[in-house]
Amino acid sequence: KRVLNAFADLNPKPIESLSAQDARRQPSPADGVKAVLKSEGKSDAPLPGVTAQDIKVPGAGGELPARIYKRDGVTGPLPVILYFPGGGFVIADLDTYDAIGRPSSRRKTEECGRKRRGARLSRCYARVLWNGGCGQ
């Protein structure tokens, strides 16, 4: 509730009333989290112990952004979680969802749950194909 209140205090406009370009400039719930952390005197820096690597994945319409999170010090073949946010990155970007990817990469495999999210199927499929052929 504190995050939602902090987000509301940022006065975001209803997304449905905005163009995609204007919506991208709006505060997000991630900004609400940062506001709460700041009010508590806590850092909003990324969690330690996780390395993030931005990559491009080939898709039918060109390259697609993707981010790989990996716990520091872990080697060898690892399980994979593919996270597809709703909306297909029309308004948000990889940084918007960073707070989901980093903590997930720190969990033990058996702790990670599966969630289904809507996104453009072709983009999701391209990332799945890339992951299947990667072997890393």
Side-chain angles (χ1 to χ4, degrees):
K1 182 172 178 160
R2 292 184 62 217
V3 171
L4 293 176
N5 290 337
F7 176 56
D9 289 344
L10 297 172
N11 298 314
K13 295 177 182 162
I15 290 177
E16 64 273 10
S17 68
L18 303 170
S19 68
Q21 185 177 11
D22 289 338
R24 288 183 197 111
R25 291 191 284 264
Q26 290 292 301
S28 73
D31 296 312
V33 171
K34 289 178 183 181
V36 169
L37 289 172
K38 184 178 178 180
S39 74
E40 295 176 350
K42 296 178 181 176
S43 171
D44 66 352
L47 292 170
V50 175
T51 301
Q53 178 187 5
D54 289 344
I55 62 168
K56 298 288 185 183
V57 175
E63 292 187 326
L64 303 168
R67 183 172 287 161
I68 298 173
Y69 296 96
K70 187 175 176 184
R71 276 186 288 165
D72 294 345
V74 176
T75 59
L78 300 169
V80 173
I81 299 172
L82 292 172
Y83 178 77
F84 302 112
F89 295 117
V90 173
I91 295 172
D93 59 19
L94 290 172
D95 293 328
T96 305
Y97 296 100
D98 192 71
I100 294 171
R102 283 183 192 275
S104 296
S105 66
R106 292 175 50 157
R107 294 182 184 146
K108 293 179 183 174
T109 306
E110 58 272 11
E111 294 175 355
C112 295
R114 247 184 337 166
K115 293 187 177 181
R116 294 180 183 210
R117 303 278 186 197
R120 289 194 56 203
L121 184 56
S122 62
R123 289 180 175 211
C124 295
Y125 186 62
R127 288 179 177 100
V128 169
L129 288 177
W130 173 85
N131 181 66
C134 181
Q136 297 180 12

